[in-house]
Amino acid sequence: MLGYITGYCLFKPEGSMFRSFLKIAYRVFLRDRMHTLINTFGLAIGLTFSLIIFLYVNKEISFDRFHDHAGRIYRIGIQGKVAENIFNHAVTPAPLAGTLLREVKGVENAVRVARFGAWLVRYDTARYNEDNLIFADSGFFRIFSFPLICGKAEEVLRNPNSIVLSEQSARRYFGDRDPMGKMLRIENDSTYYTVTGIMKDIPANSHMHFDMICSLSTFNKFLHDDRWVANYLYTYILVREGWTPDQIRAELPGLVTSHVIPDYKKMLNVSNYPEENNNDYYEFVVQPLTDIHLKSDFTAEFEPVGKLLYIYLFTILAIAILVMSCIHFISLVTALSARRAKEVGIRKIAGSEKRVLINQFLLESSMLAFLSMALALFFTELALPVFNNYMGLDLRLSQLFNASGAVFIILLILIIGLISGLYPALHLSAYEPVAVLRNWLYRRSDRNSFRTGIVLFQLFIAVGVISMTLIVMSQYRYLTKKDLGFDRDNLLVIRRSDGLKDKIEAYKTQIAHHPGVLSVTNTTSIPGGLFSRTPYYLSGSPVIQNYSAST
């Protein structure tokens, strides 16, 4: 009984003290409402910028991590230099996937993915040019964890002329009707593809996006293509449990020696290649799936990739903005410290301990941080559409509405509350009652030197933030304004002209007679788009067909 009473007596004052802290903080905020608003909005604006940057960084570093086997999925690329031709491609030869499965024990599964441009797809009266139609081997959905709504992962791409639709594309062609088993006509011939599966729309943080995926086995020319010098397919492997990428890399030089080099000897018509030129080399590169978006420097990427440098810059920028906001808070509180000097002095005379005063001021700064965070979330929701439109992104505040997001927000509030309130708390709680009553706190030079120091530090950070912002803006301006080598004004692209086939020359002649046309040409792809990665052709031989439908 005595223990209970003692415990109660010890607990009760603590609870009363916390309520007292809240009442004091509330009265201080009301009394100095202007400074409270300035501090709250200052922190809120800094937090808004930091939250937007966090959403961007979080999305960038989360690419491809949603796959169940993300840690065991790798993409194979090629690097080399052959007869002065340097290549560094994400695409690989057609025979590579099957050879890896047969000859490298650590490879559990391997698939090829092909993207050949736009395809005309029709069903009934609906017809669209589909840019996001790709082809893949039957093991695609067993390696990648793109969720299927209908169909089984091991079956949907097993047979030729099979097609899996995203939810969005299924609605586009079939509306509310069940698309399973329906036939889609692709191109102008009599080829039909059977809908064997429906998948959820591809997440934004995937390095590959597509609306439709067809079975690569539809094209026998890919299944029986044994050329090791023609690079046009993406190759992904699933490594067995317990195997490391270094063990896989150790097996790859043997494939180069036994398969690639003989093909190059045939193409170059030499018998001692590559010994005749020690500077030449050819190697397969094993790239982790989760490194593709930020760390890849290959050409022929499935989609444009990000840059790890930008992640570092934006992270530093976010931290700098937060530090500036905290310094602004400290500067303002210390500038107004004289207003609370008498409060501190009287409370110390009444027996209040320094520890209690420090807790009081830290609580006040944490409450301001909490209010600022609430405002920052509101401002972020308002600012995101503008930021997304300017940067071409699709960031959403809902990315924070999960367990990790909640932990991040709570930790941010506590850290900001601690950083912003620690010095003011130590500064204010150090006042001596005698000095307060005599209206003499500290030497003026001491106070001025500290405030001068934090102002200079704030100026230093501001210069750094402005410099980083200018660097990012200049890079963005360079990307959007760079001279591409041709004038884009009045330059028109007629898509799908490859459908004319042998009538293309007649079409060019006819359109050239139009008075508004200065010149006409045709190409296998739009400059900057898909093109063949076949490095060599025998003299006098026809160019190997680039299976692109993007003209």
Side-chain angles (χ1 to χ4, degrees):
M1 187 69 175
L2 180 60
Y4 173 80
I5 294 173
T6 305
Y8 176 80
C9 292
L10 291 174
F11 175 77
K12 180 65 176 176
E14 292 295 331
S16 300
M17 187 179 295
F18 182 75
R19 287 194 295 271
S20 176
F21 285 170
L22 292 177
K23 289 179 181 179
I24 293 172
Y26 175 72
R27 291 169 182 170
V28 170
F29 293 163
L30 283 182
R31 183 185 65 196
D32 296 329
R33 58 177 61 91
M34 181 57 67
H35 300 106
T36 301
L37 287 175
I38 292 174
N39 267 334
T40 303
F41 275 89
L43 280 174
I45 292 172
L47 282 169
T48 299
F49 282 102
S50 299
L51 285 176
I52 292 175
I53 293 174
F54 169 77
L55 290 173
Y56 169 74
V57 171
N58 182 62
K59 178 184 176 182
E60 291 292 292
I61 64 177
S62 68
F63 264 70
D64 297 306
R65 298 183 186 276
F66 58 89
H67 295 289
D68 294 338
H69 305 301
R72 294 197 290 133
I73 301 174
Y74 296 85
R75 186 179 68 179
I76 307 298
I78 58 172
Q79 291 179 341
K81 176 179 176 294
V82 180
E84 305 304 323
N85 182 28
I86 300 174
F87 44 90
N88 182 45
H89 302 327
V91 286
T92 52
L96 177 61
T99 304
L100 287 168
L101 273 174
R102 292 190 304 269
E103 301 184 15
V104 180
K105 294 180 180 179
V107 175
E108 181 178 322
N109 204 346
V111 295
R112 300 168 299 174
V113 178
R115 187 176 185 178
F116 301 135
W119 297 77
L120 177 63
V121 180
R122 291 181 288 179
Y123 178 80
D124 200 7
T125 59
R127 53 185 294 160
Y128 299 95
N129 281 322
E130 297 289 351
D131 290 297
N132 289 327
L133 186 152
I134 67 172
F135 295 81
D137 287 319
S138 59
F140 181 85
F141 286 101
R142 283 179 287 172
I143 290 182
F144 297 102
S145 303
F146 295 114
L148 286 169
I149 301 173
C150 300
K152 296 181 179 180
E154 62 274 10
E155 296 178 358
V156 289
L157 296 177
R158 175 183 296 173
N159 299 319
N161 298 102
S162 299
I163 185 169
V164 178
L165 306 179
S166 66
E167 290 181 284
Q168 184 179 7
S169 60
R171 286 192 297 269
R172 187 163 61 245
Y173 287 93
F174 301 99
D176 295 330
R177 293 170 293 177
D178 182 11
M180 292 294 289
K182 300 293 193 303
M183 307 286 285
L184 285 172
R185 185 177 180 183
I186 297 183
E187 294 301 310
N188 291 321
D189 56 19
S190 58
T191 301
Y192 287 85
Y193 286 71
T194 303
V195 178
T196 55
I198 306 296
M199 62 183 177
K200 290 186 177 181
D201 294 332
I202 305 301
N205 58 344
S206 172
H207 83 280
M208 64 170 79
H209 290 89
F210 51 93
D211 293 326
M212 303 177 173
I213 180 168
C214 303
S215 53
L216 191 61
S217 61
T218 303
F219 301 100
N220 286 327
K221 55 194 171 189
F222 296 129
L223 297 178
H224 302 291
D225 188 353
D226 59 354
R227 294 170 300 163
W228 287 84
V229 295
N231 308 307
Y232 52 90
L233 296 171
Y234 300 94
T235 301
Y236 298 88
I237 63 173
L238 179 65
V239 176
R240 295 184 187 278
E241 292 278 4
W243 282 71
T244 65
D246 289 335
Q247 291 175 294
I248 302 298
R249 291 188 185 98
E251 301 287 335
L252 298 181
L255 301 185
V256 175
T257 302
S258 58
H259 299 287
V260 180
I261 297 302
D263 226 11
Y264 271 100
K265 288 181 178 179
K266 179 180 178 181
M267 290 293 293
L268 297 176
N269 196 24
V270 294
S271 58
N272 60 340
Y273 174 81
E275 289 78 9
E276 65 181 20
N277 187 344
N278 293 327
N279 292 324
D280 286 358
Y281 66 95
Y282 186 106
E283 63 181 2
F284 291 114
V285 180
V286 180
Q287 185 179 46
L289 177 69
T290 53
D291 285 355
I292 291 177
H293 182 67
L294 288 178
K295 298 181 181 180
S296 179
D297 60 352
F298 285 129
T299 60
E301 283 289 351
F302 197 95
E303 294 179 2
V305 296
K307 293 292 183 184
L308 192 59
L309 174 63
Y310 294 158
I311 301 302
Y312 293 142
L313 287 177
F314 279 118
T315 302
I316 294 172
L317 182 62
I319 294 173
I321 291 173
L322 281 178
V323 171
M324 283 184 61
S325 301
C326 293
I327 290 176
H328 174 265
F329 179 93
I330 295 171
S331 180
L332 188 59
V333 170
T334 53
L336 300 172
S337 59
R339 294 191 178 190
R340 304 195 67 178
K342 289 184 179 180
E343 174 196 339
V344 173
I346 292 172
R347 290 177 65 178
K348 279 195 170 184
I349 291 173
S352 181
E353 298 178 3
K354 183 176 181 179
R355 173 183 61 83
V356 175
L357 293 173
I358 291 175
N359 291 339
Q360 167 69 43
F361 296 128
L362 287 178
L363 175 65
E364 292 178 10
S365 63
S366 298
M367 290 176 64
L368 282 178
F370 176 80
L371 294 174
S372 299
M373 178 61 76
L375 273 177
L377 291 172
F378 175 71
F379 292 158
T380 301
E381 182 67 21
L382 295 179
L384 275 179
V386 178
F387 182 79
N388 286 334
N389 183 62
Y390 183 76
M391 297 294 292
L393 299 172
D394 186 28
L395 302 179
R396 301 177 185 222
L397 191 61
S398 58
Q399 292 174 234
L400 293 174
F401 298 159
N402 50 50
S404 59
V407 171
F408 169 76
I409 290 175
I410 292 172
L411 286 177
L412 197 57
I413 291 174
L414 295 177
I415 291 172
I416 291 175
L418 179 63
I419 293 176
S420 301
L422 186 58
Y423 177 79
L426 296 173
H427 177 69
L428 292 173
S429 64
Y431 288 161
E432 295 296 334
V434 175
V436 171
L437 295 178
R438 291 181 178 179
N439 201 26
W440 179 81
L441 301 177
Y442 291 101
R443 291 181 301 168
R444 187 177 184 84
S445 59
D446 291 341
R447 298 197 304 273
N448 288 342
S449 62
F450 174 77
R451 291 175 58 187
T452 301
I454 61 175
V455 169
L456 290 176
F457 184 61
Q458 192 173 12
L459 179 62
F460 172 76
I461 295 179
V463 171
V465 170
I466 293 172
S467 300
M468 285 189 289
T469 303
L470 292 176
I471 291 172
V472 173
M473 290 180 62
S474 66
Q475 289 292 312
Y476 181 78
R477 191 179 301 111
Y478 174 79
L479 291 174
T480 55
K481 304 296 183 181
K482 177 176 169 47
D483 183 9
L484 301 177
F486 60 90
D487 186 4
R488 293 185 295 179
D489 295 335
N490 299 321
L491 183 64
L492 301 180
V493 175
I494 300 176
R495 302 186 64 194
R496 309 288 307 154
S497 61
D498 58 311
L500 296 169
K501 298 181 180 179
D502 57 345
K503 298 179 181 178
I504 185 68
E505 292 300 325
Y507 177 78
K508 288 168 57 180
T509 301
Q510 183 175 357
I511 201 172
H513 287 97
H514 191 283
V517 176
L518 293 178
S519 61
V520 183
T521 189
N522 67 291
T523 179
T524 56
S525 66
I526 300 171
L530 300 173
F531 59 93
S532 176
R533 262 48 182 202
T534 303
Y536 294 103
Y537 304 105
L538 293 176
S539 177
S541 66
V543 174
I544 299 175
Q545 181 182 359
N546 174 37
Y547 305 103
S548 173
S550 61
T551 22

